[in-house]
Amino acid sequence: MKTRFSIIFTLICMIILGGCSTDKPASQPDSNTDKQQESSTESSETIELTISAAASLEDTFNEIKPIFEKEHKNIKLLFNFGGSGALQKQIIQGAPVDMFFSAAEDKYDELVTQGIIAENQGMDMLKNTLVLIIPKDAKNSIEGFQNLADLGDGKLALGTPEAVPAGNYGKQTLEHLGLWDKVQDNIVFAKDVRQVLTYVETGNVAAGLVYKTDALTSDKVTVVSEADPESHDPIVYPVGIIKATKHMDEAELFYQFLQEDDSKDIFEKYGFTVLE
């Protein structure tokens, strides 16, 4: 009888103590855990950065992209390559761009003047050289700029001067040499410098004017002459962050990365001169 009473008394005490326990119910969420999960979700969010860049930068950025993305796994780089003038107009018209890397100072400076890029969020980064190229297996007698006066039925590929900086530098050079009026009827205008390179590679034109960096990427063309730097405006590449970017922190990370040694080595590998 006493044993049965002891067992019943013990069970009642256990029930009472269990009801008074300070332990949280298993289903009650832990606020710290929730915060950690939210933080983890935010840090794993992928940010897409859009960079509008001169067509002549395509090879360098294709090599820089995986290195940067490996270091910054939550940032994905999207590139919009083309003629600097066309890219500039897109930005002025409100294209969602985070950074602009131009092959001409005037196209870039206009965005600074309009307040689209802040002066303290940009810099002159690279220099390039203008060259005259011909198809590698060409049988014509073009050995330099002066031969362009005797193209006959041959064609000269050139970027549209108003939209393509390389085309503008090319026009300046031809005017400086007194050749512009003599070659105008032979010119085939292109949307960007890479299209000029393609025209020459395929033999559709007798010659073309491109940047040295473009010519170095191809084994299908021959450089016959370099333009005198005094014959055209300096070929300078400025880069800057667009004020309206929604990803300023990430844009600044990439902007700083472009100034690091790994990026500089790649620019130099492709024939650019890095400005200090």
Side-chain angles (χ1 to χ4, degrees), residues 24-25 27-39:
K24 298 178 191 174
S27 61
Q28 182 175 333
D30 186 277
S31 59
N32 289 333
T33 301
D34 286 348
K35 289 179 180 178
Q36 290 173 356
Q37 289 175 344
E38 289 174 6
S39 176

Side-chain angles (χ1 to χ4, degrees), residues 142-174:
I142 298 176
E143 297 178 353
F145 281 93
Q146 293 302 330
N147 296 128
L148 296 179
D150 302 309
L151 281 175
D153 294 330
K155 299 297 181 181
L156 171 68
L158 183 71
T160 304
E162 294 77 20
V164 183
N168 186 45
Y169 299 134
K171 180 181 179 182
Q172 291 175 352
T173 296
L174 294 171

Side-chain angles (χ1 to χ4, degrees), residues 128-134 145 148 156-158 166 169-170 173 193 196-197 200 207-216 221-228 232 235:
N128 212 336
T129 304
L130 189 71
V131 297
L132 176 65
I133 60 173
I134 62 173
F145 281 93
L148 296 179
L156 171 68
L158 183 71
Y169 299 134
T173 296
V193 72
V196 174
L197 181 65
V200 180
L209 286 170
V210 298
Y211 296 123
K212 179 181 179 180
T213 53
D214 296 294
L216 291 176
V221 302
T222 298
V223 176
V224 294
S225 183
E226 288 190 6
D228 184 342
H232 56 72
I235 304 177

Side-chain angles (χ1 to χ4, degrees), residues 26 32 53 85 106 136 193 264:
N32 289 333
D106 62 336
K136 192 166 187 178
V193 72
K264 289 180 179 179

